[in-house]
Amino acid sequence: MQSFDFILFGATGDLAMRKIFPSLYQAYADGFLPHIGKVIATGRSLLNVDEFKDKMSHKSKIHIKNCDDKKWEEFTHNIDYLSINLNETKDFELLKEKINSESKNIVIYFSVSPEFFIKACKNLASVGLNDERVKIILEKPLGMDLKSCQAINNEIAQYYNEKQIYRIDHYLGKESIQNLLILRRFNPIFTSLWKKDYIDYVEISVFETLGVESRGEFYDSTGALRDMIQNHILQILSLVAMKIPDTLDADSIRSAKLQLLRNLKPLDDENIKTNVIRAQYSQSGEFKAYLNEDNIKENSQTETFVAIKVELLDENWKNVPFYIRTGKRMANSFAQIVIYFKDQQYQDIHPNKLIIRLQPENQISLNLKVKKIGKTMDYEENNLILNLNSTLVMQPYERLILDVIEGNQASFNHKEELEAAWAWIDPILENWKNNKTPLYSYFAGSWGPKESFDLIQKDQREWYNA
């Protein structure tokens, strides 16, 4: 791998300390960054280099399993720190001076609020840090709706072309998601069955036992629909349902995802009334109600749970519903995709299921009917399990940062993908803004509102609660 310089905006923030620096260190310790150049950490805090490194040792090192002190010292030796105001052009002149003028590979990571993206890009361009050597990584969410997303994309496009922009979604770096494309492309047993003739329905669930914690102010202006459905779940859905291209290169994968997202059946008020459930957690036992969490507006209508029945206009998926749901303060924490196959003969037997677990473990299992042991011909359910948990499995941020350094955009969002997702989400946001559908309630620590079970059970189907 060629040498590179890495610039991180927001280096003193939570994401940088918990994920980005540990991932960079791990890539270095694993030998994937043999020619590391400078790592220039920037933030608003007035710190010198030694003070910043001390902060890293306390806040970042604790998130690294089996951290080698010698490797850590080698890694941090390459780190510099610069206090910077993203709105001040003169600060970017100082930043440029710290970069090796001979560097041919410069990665700039925006671990800051999207409100700073446009100004920072303009200031970077003003000092020449937007030429072909430069790649930028943007954390989502980009915008709060289609209009604001387009505004950000259009402004940034004045300074960087699409080949230089990496919109990161850490879910796309998970081992199980990376395996999904290989599973579908190179296994005839699944390739031949991955269509409406053999699949009854698909479920995608992302649950957290945590509430909003310290993110109350951010979350109350965002909600579960923007934070999880638009951000992550629609990307997962597109990888599950898209037509697998002949080659798994970046352009082919992104084109296939875009085509699928544009084939989501549009939602109007009537569809939203019957196919979309929003809810907010209420007090239960030791758990506070959402409205009693810190930094939540009085009588807030922000949803902490969403369930949607999604239909596709793609002929390959005609009459195959996709049920998606996400929630905070749930009974269990997990992220999973469940593919329910049709039973062609025996309608009274639960069908086979392919269960793809994204977290807490990386695991793919095929639920089979097998004979019970003993003198019987009765059957029972058992799982054929592919365990992807290994010391060799990369954490998502490590994998994705390495992809950026190497110039591989396959696991990143194209601007048109995000805009297609927002175009589908916008009618729901407008419906809720005008209170055309109810905001339901569910007990904190439960499996969600009764209405989410009604949504799927009215179709004679059920959620898979692990």
Side-chain angles (χ1 to χ4, degrees):
M1 180 182 291
Q2 62 179 314
S3 62
F4 68 99
D5 285 341
F6 189 90
I7 301 165
L8 178 59
F9 294 135
T12 59
D14 185 59
L15 178 64
M17 292 296 175
R18 284 190 305 108
K19 298 293 184 182
I20 300 173
F21 283 120
S23 296
L24 278 172
Y25 162 80
Q26 198 62 59
Y28 177 78
D30 291 342
F32 292 116
L33 302 180
H35 306 297
I36 190 170
K38 276 188 176 181
V39 175
I40 304 171
T42 79
R44 289 178 295 181
S45 302
L46 297 173
L47 303 170
N48 61 39
V49 175
D50 291 335
E51 289 171 332
F52 177 74
K53 289 183 180 180
D54 184 60
K55 189 181 185 76
M56 279 184 66
S57 291
H58 286 92
K59 290 198 167 185
S60 191
K61 197 175 179 182
I62 59 173
H63 296 289
I64 299 170
K65 290 183 180 178
N66 305 316
C67 184
D68 182 296
D69 288 339
K70 184 179 177 182
K71 290 276 189 186
W72 178 258
E73 288 300 319
E74 291 174 2
F75 170 68
T76 57
H77 177 73
N78 296 293
I79 292 178
D80 199 354
Y81 180 79
L82 176 66
S83 177
I84 192 169
N85 183 333
L86 296 177
N87 293 313
E88 291 290 340
T89 305
K90 61 181 175 59
D91 287 357
F92 287 78
E93 295 283 358
L94 298 175
L95 175 63
K96 185 178 181 180
E97 291 173 9
K98 287 185 174 288
I99 297 172
N100 181 356
S101 61
E102 301 300 316
S103 179
K104 292 182 170 56
N105 192 4
I106 300 171
V107 176
I108 305 176
Y109 198 126
F110 287 66
S111 182
V112 293
S113 171
E115 67 188 87
F116 295 108
F117 288 177
I118 295 170
K119 187 66 174 177
C121 285
K122 181 179 181 180
N123 285 331
L124 285 165
S126 73
V127 297
L129 287 176
N130 67 328
D131 59 32
E132 62 184 11
R133 302 173 300 160
V134 179
K135 309 181 190 82
I136 61 172
I137 306 175
L138 304 179
E139 277 286 345
K140 298 197 299 178
L142 263 73
M144 297 293 283
D145 52 23
L146 176 60
K147 183 178 179 180
S148 56
C149 177
Q150 288 174 325
I152 293 172
N153 282 331
N154 292 340
E155 286 288 336
I156 291 174
Q158 294 184 44
Y159 312 108
Y160 296 92
N161 64 54
E162 191 63 26
K163 289 291 185 184
Q164 294 176 282
I165 303 170
Y166 292 73
R167 299 171 187 83
I168 195 167
D169 178 348
H170 70 278
Y171 271 75
L172 301 187
K174 290 179 179 291
E175 189 69 24
S176 300
I177 286 292
Q178 298 267 320
N179 249 291
L180 181 58
L181 295 179
I182 301 299
L183 186 79
R184 291 188 56 195
R185 175 69 176 81
F186 297 107
N187 293 282
I189 188 174
F190 293 122
T191 303
S192 59
L193 298 178
W194 215 268
K195 52 189 175 183
K196 63 185 179 184
D197 299 331
Y198 301 103
I199 292 178
D200 183 34
Y201 66 106
V202 178
E203 170 197 327
I204 303 172
S205 298
V206 180
F207 277 3
E208 296 176 280
T209 55
L210 294 174
V212 296
E213 307 305 299
S214 60
R215 299 171 73 223
E217 186 174 356
F218 163 80
Y219 197 88
D220 203 41
S221 64
T222 305
L225 186 68
R226 291 185 177 101
D227 188 44
M228 192 59 68
I229 301 287
Q230 191 280 333
N231 246 2
H232 305 301
I233 292 181
L234 288 184
Q235 280 290 315
I236 296 171
L237 188 155
S238 67
L239 289 170
V240 172
M242 74 183 196
K243 181 180 179 182
I244 291 290
D246 293 333
T247 56
L248 298 181
D249 62 275
D251 287 343
S252 299
I253 290 171
R254 295 167 96 178
S255 177
K257 285 197 294 176
L258 176 60
Q259 183 178 355
L260 189 284
L261 289 167
R262 286 176 172 170
N263 271 327
L264 296 174
K265 183 177 178 180
L267 295 167
D268 56 25
D269 284 344
E270 191 59 35
N271 298 136
I272 293 168
K273 182 179 179 181
T274 57
N275 292 339
V276 181
I277 303 297
R278 62 168 172 159
Q280 189 183 91
Y281 63 80
S282 60
Q283 188 273 336
S284 179
E286 64 185 90
F287 297 130
K288 295 179 183 177
Y290 175 77
L291 292 176
N292 293 329
E293 299 278 17
D294 293 339
N295 299 314
I296 301 301
K297 292 183 182 128
E298 185 179 1
N299 299 321
S300 170
Q301 294 288 293
T302 298
E303 77 289 351
T304 60
F305 178 98
V306 179
I308 307 176
K309 177 182 177 181
V310 182
E311 297 173 276
L312 303 179
L313 299 176
D314 189 323
E315 183 61 29
N316 189 56
W317 296 105
K318 187 176 181 181
N319 298 324
V320 179
F322 285 69
Y323 298 94
I324 62 178
R325 59 178 178 163
T326 186
K328 285 191 169 294
R329 197 61 87 191
M330 306 303 294
N332 200 358
S333 288
F334 59 82
Q336 66 188 18
I337 305 161
V338 187
I339 313 293
Y340 294 81
F341 293 98
K342 289 181 178 179
D343 190 297
Q344 301 294 325
Q345 286 184 292
Y346 306 105
Q347 301 303 318
D348 59 331
I349 295 177
H350 289 151
N352 298 124
K353 296 185 287 288
L354 179 66
I355 305 165
I356 302 167
R357 292 278 283 197
L358 313 181
Q359 62 189 38
E361 67 273 6
N362 282 287
Q363 180 178 285
I364 299 174
S365 62
L366 182 60
N367 180 267
L368 300 173
K369 306 298 180 291
V370 297
K371 177 186 171 297
K372 285 185 178 179
I373 294 174
K375 193 177 184 306
T376 177
M377 287 305 290
D378 290 338
Y379 72 88
E380 63 183 357
E381 293 188 6
N382 216 326
N383 289 323
L384 188 64
I385 296 175
L386 173 62
N387 191 340
L388 301 173
N389 294 308
S390 163
T391 55
L392 299 177
V393 171
M394 282 187 179
Q395 293 302 307
Y397 277 97
E398 179 184 356
R399 180 196 302 276
L400 294 173
I401 289 171
L402 288 172
D403 280 348
V404 178
I405 294 167
E406 294 170 355
N408 180 8
Q409 291 186 308
S411 297
F412 296 84
N413 303 152
H414 191 280
K415 75 181 186 70
E416 291 184 359
E417 290 178 58
L418 287 185
E419 290 173 7
W422 276 121
W424 187 77
I425 289 287
D426 266 4
I428 306 176
L429 293 171
E430 188 65 22
N431 179 283
W432 290 355
K433 178 182 175 182
N434 296 316
N435 288 315
K436 292 184 177 180
T437 51
L439 174 67
Y440 298 108
S441 177
Y442 63 101
F443 289 118
S446 72
W447 288 107
K450 172 185 176 296
E451 290 78 11
S452 71
F453 290 90
D454 295 341
L455 174 71
I456 194 167
Q457 287 172 357
K458 70 184 179 183
D459 295 335
Q460 286 78 53
R461 297 180 173 104
E462 60 185 6
W463 298 112
Y464 185 79
N465 289 330

